[in-house]
């Protein structure tokens, strides 16, 4: 069995693992980055890429005290407060370090409210950062190794768009300025496709992971793709490396003074998923599967343990399922593109609404899980005007034909509400009564049953051109459409118990020498709550930084 020696071995090449590898290399360490899949970026690469960083140096006015207050209001019950305090104290430090030592450059998202904006300590924007747009051409031939975004979130076979471009696309036929903007975007994309398999102007999670990928390449990190870790090597009570399976069937040992686990959680570890997630939420995950052992299972084999105290052990999103042309199973996470827009409601199997559809995706699924017999699956229902303007799930706005999605069973279409109820196998009268009750007040922008549009977060996700309520409009124009949505996880919230230095702890609370965890392998400081955009990536980058700095300082 061959052996190689490094200072630090990082397991997983999502945002947390890339951050850890980049920081460890910046600290002059010899670093190996192991990724079980053939591509760099993990679930982070297909995400919205927002990073929740309280009191960050890009924003004026936010304070650690305000963020602490907000988290105690929303993510209460955390027993290990020292880990959360480490996040609050070092998030800004991580931002400054990464900008000075790596290719990662941030910009604030000035208007993006926390998900519970009426609670003490909440902000309306600036607490959230995102990576500046990145030209993937800077990666050269390595660009092909960066995981692309979900096809359903791109246009024309591979063009990414920024959040700021979305209003221009919606108004392309109505406003000359938007028409000109979209023409320039298309011209740029056409030029890029002459030399690249997809657009090279990257936004969101692809920009975040692309910038970090560039950093680890420039710093000389040894990257091994398609490499699964089979076990951690322990000698004299200390983790001192990993044993990996090689493509030729042989095994190899990579020795190091520290191993940092950043494999992305246990979303696809069937045994751990069954043990920790609700029975009604076993079927669907919106995360990338590596097919390798999770970081949690690797650590448990050497004395680590999963923290079981969180009320919710996953971060949730309603998701629709479909089959792509290439035969792969698709999962569309309904985060912000449709549920908050005016003219859509969600109903359960009884034909009745059960939730404020414009609340966060996490809250939407919690409502589903509270009544699994009647709300799983749930159905998002709209009319033809909504479908044309906003799209629905994987159906993009201004789609000229939806025949394939109707034929596949993904999209339901009917000329009347009664016919739609029959196709969805819902009680026809109940669904008609629900639509009538909603429409009666929607004409004047009100939703007395659930209060859609009742705070700045909900209104932010609505349509500002619709007044008086950007989240409410009637459902009147046939034909009518629906898609089925199921509870899906965006990642596990329960993870390995760690201390404030990201060291994995044993049952008695003592650290396992040489073993660290970050990202979703680490138990979330949010305690299973979802207070705002980027609350997974913020701690992921922060503790990737913390773990790498600590590991690099080991003798």
């Amino acid at each position: 069995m061959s052996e190689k020696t490094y200072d630090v071995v990082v397991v997983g090449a999502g945002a947390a693992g890339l951050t850890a590898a980049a920081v460890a290399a910046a600290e002059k360490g010899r670093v190996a980055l192991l990724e079980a899949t053939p591509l760099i970026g993990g679930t982070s690469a297909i995400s919205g890429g927002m990073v929740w960083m309280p009191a960050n140096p890009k924003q004026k006015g936010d304070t650690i005290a305000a963020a602490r207050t907000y988290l105690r209001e929303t993510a209460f019950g955390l027993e290990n407060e020292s880990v959360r305090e480490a996040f609050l104290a070092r998030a800004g430090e991580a931002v400054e370090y990464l900008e000075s030592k790596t290719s990662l450059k941030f910009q604030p998202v000035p208007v993006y409210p926390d998900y519970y904006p009426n609670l003490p300590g909440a902000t309306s924007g600036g607490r959230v950062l995102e990576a500046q747009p990145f030209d993937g051409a800077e990666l050269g031939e390595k660009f092909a190794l960066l995981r692309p975004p979900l096809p359903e979130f791109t246009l024309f076979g591979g063009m990414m768009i920024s959040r700021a471009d979305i209003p221009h696309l919606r108004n392309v036929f109505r406003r000359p300025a938007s028409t000109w903007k979209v023409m320039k975007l298309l011209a740029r994309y056409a030029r890029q496709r002459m030399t690249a398999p997809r657009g090279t102007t990257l936004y969101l999670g692809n920009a975040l992971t692309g910038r970090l990928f560039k950093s680890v390449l420039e710093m000389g990190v040894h990257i091994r793709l398609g490499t699964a870790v089979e076990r951690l090597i322990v000698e004299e009570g200390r983790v001192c490396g990993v044993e990996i399976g090689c493509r030729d069937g042989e095994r190899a040992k990579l020795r190091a003074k520290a191993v940092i686990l950043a494999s992305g959680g246990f979303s696809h570890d069937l045994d751990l998923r069954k043990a920790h997630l609700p029975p009604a939420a076993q079927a669907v995950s919106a995360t990338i599967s590596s097919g390798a052992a999770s970081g949690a299972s690797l650590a448990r084999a050497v004395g680590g343990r999963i923290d079981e105290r969180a009320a919710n052990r996953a971060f949730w999103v309603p998701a629709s399922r479909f089959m792509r042309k290439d035969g792969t199973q698709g999962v569309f996470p309904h985060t912000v593109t449709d549920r908050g827009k005016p003219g859509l409601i969600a109903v359960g199997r009884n034909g009745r609404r059960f939730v404020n559809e414009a609340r966060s995706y996490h809250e939407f699924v919690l409502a589903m899980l509270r009544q699994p017999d009647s709300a799983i699956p749930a159905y998002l229902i709209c009319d033809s005007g909504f479908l044309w303007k906003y799209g629905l799930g994987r159906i993009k706005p201004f789609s000229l034909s939806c025949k394939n999605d109707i034929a596949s069973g993904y999209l339901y279409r009917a000329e009347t509400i009664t016919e739609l109820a029959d196709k969805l196998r819902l009680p026809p009268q109940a669904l008609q009564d629900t639509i009538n009750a909603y429409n009666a007040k929607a004409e004047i922008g009100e939703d007395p049953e659930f209060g859609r549009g009742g705070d700045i977060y909900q209104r932010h996700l609505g349509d500002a051109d619709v007044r008086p309520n950007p989240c409410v409009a009637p459902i009147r124009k046939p034909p009518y459409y629906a898609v089925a949505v199921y509870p899906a996880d965006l990642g596990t919230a329960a993870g390995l118990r760690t201390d404030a230095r990201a060291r994995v702890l044993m049952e008695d609370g003592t650290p396992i020498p040489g073993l660290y965890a970050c990202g979703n392998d680490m138990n979330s400081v949010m305690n299973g709550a979802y207070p705002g955009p980027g609350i997974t990536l913020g701690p992921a980058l922060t503790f990737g930084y913390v773990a790498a700095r600590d590991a690099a300082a080991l003798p």
Side-chain angles (χ1 to χ4, degrees):
M1 183 181 296
S2 63
E3 289 191 10
K4 290 187 177 181
T5 301
Y6 299 90
D7 292 309
V8 178
V9 170
V10 180
V11 181
L18 287 165
T19 298
V23 172
E27 294 295 303
K28 310 304 181 185
R30 295 165 298 165
V31 183
L33 176 62
L34 311 180
E35 169 58 39
T37 74
L39 298 171
I40 290 286
T43 302
S44 304
I46 64 172
S47 73
M50 286 191 282
V51 184
W52 200 80
M53 291 293 210
N56 66 72
K58 302 286 184 178
Q59 182 206 25
K60 294 181 179 179
D62 191 20
T63 65
I64 291 176
R68 181 185 296 116
T69 296
Y70 181 64
L71 289 181
R72 287 179 177 172
E73 291 281 341
T74 57
F76 45 81
L78 187 69
E79 292 188 28
N80 196 348
E81 282 283 343
S82 65
V83 183
R84 179 181 289 172
E85 285 298 316
F87 166 61
L88 293 173
R90 305 194 70 179
E93 174 188 327
V95 169
E96 291 181 328
Y97 183 98
L98 290 169
E99 287 206 313
S100 66
K101 301 284 189 177
T102 77
S103 296
L104 185 53
K105 304 300 178 187
F106 294 103
Q107 61 188 23
V109 183
V111 182
Y112 208 115
D114 288 322
Y115 289 172
Y116 306 90
N118 295 333
L119 292 180
T123 64
S124 60
R127 185 173 278 172
V128 184
L129 303 177
E130 62 182 352
Q132 293 181 9
F134 176 62
D135 185 0
E138 294 185 30
L139 296 172
E141 62 181 15
K142 300 294 186 182
F143 179 53
L145 299 179
L146 179 65
R147 184 177 298 281
L150 294 176
E152 294 73 33
F153 284 91
T154 64
L155 298 176
F156 310 112
M159 184 177 86
M160 297 193 74
I161 57 173
S162 69
R163 292 183 182 88
D165 292 333
I166 294 175
H168 291 294
L169 290 163
R170 289 202 183 119
N171 293 295
V172 63
F173 301 122
R174 297 194 300 167
R175 297 175 183 171
S178 293
T179 304
W180 177 241
K181 175 67 174 179
V182 172
M183 288 176 63
K184 290 195 294 183
L185 292 176
L186 292 174
R188 182 182 67 186
Y189 176 59
R191 292 194 301 270
Q192 293 171 354
R193 286 302 301 266
M194 296 175 72
T195 56
R198 62 184 177 99
T200 61
T201 302
L202 308 183
Y203 302 100
L204 312 177
N206 229 228
L208 175 69
T209 51
R211 285 182 171 279
L212 287 168
F213 186 23
K214 179 186 178 184
S215 300
V216 297
L217 289 171
E218 291 178 340
M219 292 176 176
V221 171
H222 179 64
I223 302 171
R224 297 187 63 141
L225 300 178
T227 300
V229 175
E230 298 184 351
R231 71 179 184 92
L232 300 174
I233 301 172
V234 179
E235 294 178 357
E236 298 180 354
R238 181 183 187 85
V239 172
C240 57
V242 299
E243 187 173 311
I244 61 174
C246 302
R247 294 172 183 172
D248 57 9
E250 295 296 318
R251 286 185 171 84
K253 289 183 178 180
L254 305 183
R255 293 189 173 274
K257 61 183 181 180
V259 174
I260 302 175
L261 299 174
S263 72
F266 59 82
S267 291
H268 296 276
D269 187 318
L270 296 183
D271 290 338
L272 292 179
R273 188 178 182 91
K274 184 177 181 180
H276 291 278
L277 303 191
Q282 293 293 319
V284 188
S285 177
T287 64
I288 297 297
S289 173
S290 70
S294 65
S297 64
L298 292 171
R300 290 174 76 212
V302 299
R305 68 182 183 91
I306 294 175
D307 198 317
E308 300 180 351
R309 295 169 292 185
N312 300 298
R313 299 182 190 176
F315 301 112
W316 300 113
V317 65
S320 50
R321 299 184 292 182
F322 56 93
M323 194 66 69
R324 296 191 178 96
K325 291 181 180 180
D326 62 4
T328 59
Q329 176 73 51
V331 174
F332 186 93
H334 293 254
T335 50
V336 299
T337 57
D338 48 26
R339 292 179 301 102
K341 299 297 185 292
L344 173 146
I345 62 170
V347 302
R349 290 156 58 188
N350 58 5
R352 306 290 186 184
R353 292 174 70 198
F354 62 94
V355 68
N356 178 341
E357 299 88 350
R359 294 196 72 186
S360 76
Y361 33 93
H362 186 72
E363 285 287 350
F364 187 102
V365 172
L366 290 180
M368 296 176 76
L369 294 175
R370 283 193 288 268
Q371 42 191 320
D373 293 337
S374 62
I376 301 176
Y379 297 94
L380 304 182
I381 295 175
C382 68
D383 64 15
S384 57
F386 183 100
L387 189 73
W388 173 256
K389 187 174 183 180
Y390 306 114
L392 183 63
R394 75 182 300 257
I395 312 298
K396 294 182 174 70
F398 312 127
S399 293
L400 298 177
S401 175
C402 302
K403 290 181 179 179
N404 291 337
D405 288 294
I406 293 171
S408 70
Y410 175 77
L411 182 68
Y412 296 87
R413 179 186 187 276
E415 292 298 327
T416 67
I417 295 299
T418 298
E419 181 188 356
L420 185 64
D422 288 340
K423 289 186 175 182
L424 300 177
R425 298 183 181 181
L426 305 180
Q429 191 59 52
L431 183 59
Q432 186 66 67
D433 291 344
T434 296
I435 297 288
N436 290 343
Y438 170 77
N439 282 347
K441 292 294 185 179
E443 293 282 5
I444 56 174
E446 295 180 1
D447 177 26
E449 187 174 9
F450 289 100
R452 276 176 70 118
D455 60 44
I456 59 171
Y457 167 70
Q458 297 174 46
R459 294 192 292 274
H460 176 71
L461 297 183
D463 183 344
D465 291 335
V466 175
R467 295 180 175 86
N469 189 333
C471 300
V472 176
I475 302 171
R476 292 203 185 280
K477 186 179 179 180
Y480 303 99
Y481 295 92
V483 296
V485 294
Y486 300 82
D489 71 279
L490 285 169
T492 48
L496 294 167
R497 190 180 181 195
T498 64
D499 64 9
R501 292 160 59 183
R503 298 180 298 179
V504 177
L505 303 179
M506 292 187 285
E507 183 70 31
D508 62 2
T510 58
I512 300 174
L515 186 60
Y516 298 80
C518 56
N520 286 354
D521 280 351
M522 172 187 182
N523 190 59
S524 171
V525 296
M526 302 300 165
N527 203 35
Y530 214 120
I535 54 85
T536 55
L537 285 175
L541 268 61
T542 301
F543 284 107
Y545 160 78
V546 168
R549 290 290 302 273
D550 201 81
L554 293 174

